[in-house]
Amino acid sequence: MALVTKADIRLHLLCIFFAVGSFVWGYNVGILSSVLVHPGFVKAMGHLTPSRKGVITAIYYLGTCYIFISHPASDLFGRRYAALAGIFTVAVGSAFECGATGSGAYAMMIVGRIISGIGVGMLSTSVPLYQSEVAPAGKRGKYVVLNHVGFVAGLAAGFWVGYAVTFWDATEHDVYVSWRVSLAVILIPCFIFGVGLPFLPETPRWLIEHGHYDAAHKSLYWLREGSFTDTEVDAELTHIRENVEQHRASSESSWLSLFRDRNLFERLWRASLLQFMAQMCGATAMKYYLPTLFANLGLPIRVTLMAGGIESTLKIGMTVIEMLLIDRLGRRVTLTAGCVAMGLGMLINGVLGQVYPDNTNSAADVVCIVFIFIYALGYSMGFGPAAWVYGSEIFPTSVRARGLNFSASGGAIGSIVVAQVWPVGIDTIGSKIYFFFMAVNFVCIPIIVLFYPETKGRPLEDMDLLFNKSFGGAGEDIDEHTEPVLPKNVSRQSQN
C-alpha cells in the first residue's frame, strides 16, 4: 500500500491553494506595518498622530462585517464562491489604498481599509471552513493549520516587500510611488486565487446541505480515494447526510438558534471568546506595530523592517511545526503552551523597559528583541492557528458558517480594542502596557483548561455528542477515547 495516496496529494494541494487566500490576508497585515512608517505614506497622510494611525489599523476590522456578509455568502453560494467574492473585494479595497492622494488621502485610505476588511472577513472564514469540511477527522487540525501557514507566509512577504521598497528612495517620485507599489503587489495572489477557485470541488457537507447528493458523493470519493475503502467513504457520506437532516429537522434554520439552543450557544461563546483572546493577547499590536516597537528599542527603520521580516519568516517554520503537532497533542495543549510563551515575552519586555528606560542598556534591548521573537513563536504555535481550527470544527454543518462568522467577530472586536489601545498606551505609559497584555495571556490559561473540551480526532458530526456530554446535555454517552476513522494505509497500532 502506497504511503502517499491520491487523497493525500489532493488534500494537500487543495488546502495549500486555499492558503493563498490566507496569504492575501497576511500580506494585507504585514505590508501595512511597513507602510505606516514609510516616509512617503506619512507625507501623503499629513499629520499622522498615534490616534490616527490607530484608526487606520482598527477601521479595517470594522470593515470585516463578519456577521452580515461572510455567513450568507458561505451558506448560499458555497465556500469557494464566498472566497471568490472576498478576494475580489480585497482587490477593490487595495486599489483605493494605492490611490490615496491629495487632501482626501486619509479619507481614501480609510475607505480602502474598510473595503479590504470586508473582503478579508469573507476570506478569513471561508478558507478554514473549506479546509475543515474536506479534511478527514484524524488529520483535520493539520489541514486547517495550513490556513495559518498561508497567513504568516503573507505576513512575512509583506515585511520583506516593505523592507525592499526602503531602497527605492533615490528621488522624491520614488518615495511617492514605492509604498503604493508595495500595496499593489497583493493583486498578484488575488488574481491567482480568483482564477483557480471555480475549478475546485465544493465541500461534500455544503453540497449535501443544499441537496446535491450526487455531487457530494463524487466530491467525497475524490477527496478520499486511496486513503479510505469504499465502505468507509459510504459510511462517512451517510453520517454526514444523517447529521445534516437531523439538524435541518431542528430549529437551527434561524440566526437565533445559536443563542436559543443551549448546546449551540455553549459552542458559540467559547469560539467567540477564543477569537477575542487570540487578539487581546497582543497579537494585533505585534502584527501592525512591530517595526514601531523595534524602532522604540533603538533600531533604524530599515533594520526594524528586516527584523520584522525575519520574525515573520521564523513564524512560518513554527506554524509548520504546529501543523504536525496539533493532531497529536491536541488543541488545548498547544493553546496553553502558546499563552505561557507569549506571557513570558510580554513580562520580560515590560520589566526591562522599566529597569532600563530610554534604551540605556543595549544588552537589555537585545533581550527585549529576543523575547518579542519568543512571543511571536508562541502565537504561531497557539492562538494563531488553533483558534481557527477550533472554531471551524465545533459547529454542525447547518450553522458552521454562521457560528464561525459570529465567533470571528469576537476577534474583530479584540483587534479594534488592541489597535487603539497599543499605540496610545506606548505613547503615554511606555513599556508598562506590556504588563496588561502579559496578564491577559496568563488569565487565558485557566480559561482554556477549564472551559474548552478537546476536539482532536473527532469527526465533525460527533461534536454534538462531545458537547452534550461535556455540558450535561441529554445526548448519548460517548467514549472520550474513541479513535477517529483512519486512512486504510495507517494501522491502529501505529497511532499508539
Side-chain angles (χ1 to χ4, degrees):
M1 183 66 66
L3 293 176
V4 178
T5 66
K6 289 182 179 180
D8 291 329
I9 296 171
R10 289 167 181 170
L11 282 168
H12 277 91
L13 291 177
L14 273 176
C15 291
I16 288 170
F17 182 80
F18 263 80
V20 174
S22 300
F23 178 95
V24 169
W25 173 24
Y27 187 88
N28 212 301
V29 173
I31 197 60
L32 188 70
S33 302
S34 63
V35 166
L36 287 174
V37 296
H38 193 283
F41 175 80
V42 174
K43 182 178 180 180
M45 293 298 110
H47 184 53
L48 198 60
T49 63
S51 179
R52 294 188 85 185
K53 187 182 290 188
V55 170
I56 290 175
T57 305
I59 203 73
Y60 175 74
Y61 293 97
L62 178 64
T64 52
C65 293
Y66 288 115
I67 297 175
F68 301 107
I69 295 178
S70 186
H71 145 61
S74 289
D75 275 352
L76 292 176
F77 306 115
R79 312 326 187 196
R80 294 175 304 155
Y81 289 105
L84 183 60
I87 206 72
F88 176 78
T89 307
V90 169
V92 172
S94 297
F96 272 88
E97 294 174 29
C98 295
T101 188
S103 59
Y106 182 74
M108 199 168 178
M109 189 69 185
I110 294 297
V111 171
R113 292 286 291 163
I114 292 174
I115 295 174
S116 293
I118 293 172
V120 166
M122 301 171 77
L123 279 175
S124 63
T125 50
S126 57
V127 168
L129 267 179
Y130 186 94
Q131 292 167 327
S132 178
E133 291 188 351
V134 300
K139 298 181 179 180
R140 186 173 57 247
K142 177 181 74 172
Y143 288 117
V144 180
V145 169
L146 279 170
N147 167 58
H148 196 69
V149 173
F151 173 81
V152 294
L155 195 66
F159 273 111
W160 285 117
V161 171
Y163 171 69
V165 299
T166 62
F167 295 93
W168 189 4
D169 60 354
T171 66
E172 186 175 337
H173 182 263
D174 290 344
V175 174
Y176 175 84
V177 169
S178 57
W179 68 270
R180 302 174 193 275
V181 172
S182 70
L183 288 173
V185 168
I186 200 173
L187 298 176
I188 298 172
C190 283
F191 177 78
I192 294 171
F193 191 57
V195 169
L197 278 171
F199 299 98
L200 303 180
E202 187 53 80
T203 73
R205 289 171 173 84
W206 185 87
L207 291 168
I208 288 178
E209 178 74 21
H210 289 76
H212 305 301
Y213 301 115
D214 290 340
H217 184 272
K218 181 179 179 180
S219 176
L220 188 62
Y221 268 83
W222 188 81
L223 291 166
R224 302 289 184 263
E225 185 180 355
S227 288
F228 292 84
T229 64
D230 290 351
T231 302
E232 288 172 329
V233 175
D234 287 337
E236 183 179 356
L237 195 67
T238 301
H239 197 187
I240 295 171
R241 185 167 180 173
E242 289 174 349
N243 183 264
V244 167
E245 291 174 351
Q246 175 187 343
H247 285 281
R248 184 181 292 159
S250 68
S251 59
E252 291 176 5
S253 59
S254 73
W255 283 72
L256 294 177
S257 63
L258 285 166
F259 299 92
R260 289 174 174 169
D261 187 311
R262 181 186 175 188
N263 184 279
L264 294 180
F265 185 68
E266 293 283 1
R267 308 182 212 190
L268 177 65
W269 76 256
R270 281 169 172 80
S272 301
L273 179 60
L274 195 61
Q275 289 282 358
F276 182 72
M277 292 189 298
Q279 301 308 319
M280 285 302 296
C281 67
T284 299
M286 289 297 178
K287 286 181 287 193
Y288 284 108
Y289 303 122
L290 190 61
T292 305
L293 296 178
F294 284 145
N296 289 341
L297 292 171
L299 297 180
I301 291 296
R302 184 171 289 166
V303 177
T304 67
L305 294 174
M306 182 177 66
I310 294 171
E311 181 259 6
S312 299
T313 304
L314 289 175
K315 283 162 73 173
I316 299 174
M318 296 306 294
T319 306
V320 171
I321 293 174
E322 164 76 350
M323 184 177 75
L324 302 175
L325 293 178
I326 193 167
D327 285 320
R328 295 178 180 273
L329 301 180
R331 287 45 163 161
R332 299 202 308 171
V333 172
T334 56
L335 281 167
T336 52
C339 285
V340 171
M342 291 187 293
L344 185 61
M346 291 292 186
L347 172 64
I348 297 301
N349 272 269
V351 169
L352 292 181
Q354 291 298 300
V355 175
Y356 301 105
D358 302 320
N359 311 111
T360 55
N361 187 298
S362 58
D365 291 343
V366 171
V367 172
C368 285
I369 293 171
V370 169
F371 275 90
I372 286 176
F373 277 60
I374 290 174
Y375 171 93
L377 299 181
Y379 184 76
S380 295
M381 293 193 67
F383 276 129
W388 290 102
V389 172
Y390 201 89
S392 68
E393 66 186 359
I394 62 174
F395 296 101
T397 302
S398 58
V399 293
R400 186 168 295 122
R402 193 179 314 169
L404 183 59
N405 282 282
F406 264 113
S407 62
S409 299
I413 293 169
S415 294
I416 291 171
V417 172
V418 175
Q420 284 291 292
V421 167
W422 188 277
V424 176
I426 285 288
D427 191 53
T428 54
I429 63 174
S431 66
K432 290 179 182 177
I433 193 68
Y434 286 101
F435 294 124
F436 170 76
F437 291 101
M438 174 206 71
V440 170
N441 279 289
F442 287 146
V443 167
C444 289
I445 295 173
I447 293 175
I448 293 166
V449 171
L450 293 174
F451 297 109
Y452 288 82
E454 184 54 66
T455 58
K456 71 169 182 176
R458 295 200 179 279
L460 296 176
E461 287 67 39
D462 283 354
M463 294 299 170
D464 287 341
L465 303 179
L466 175 64
F467 277 83
N468 275 340
K469 180 171 183 180
S470 297
F471 307 113
E476 309 99 303
D477 285 338
I478 180 172
D479 179 7
E480 293 186 359
H481 301 289
T482 299
E483 294 176 311
V485 176
L486 296 174
K488 64 185 180 183
N489 58 299
V490 180
S491 67
R492 291 291 181 193
Q493 186 176 1
S494 66
Q495 302 298 304
N496 295 329

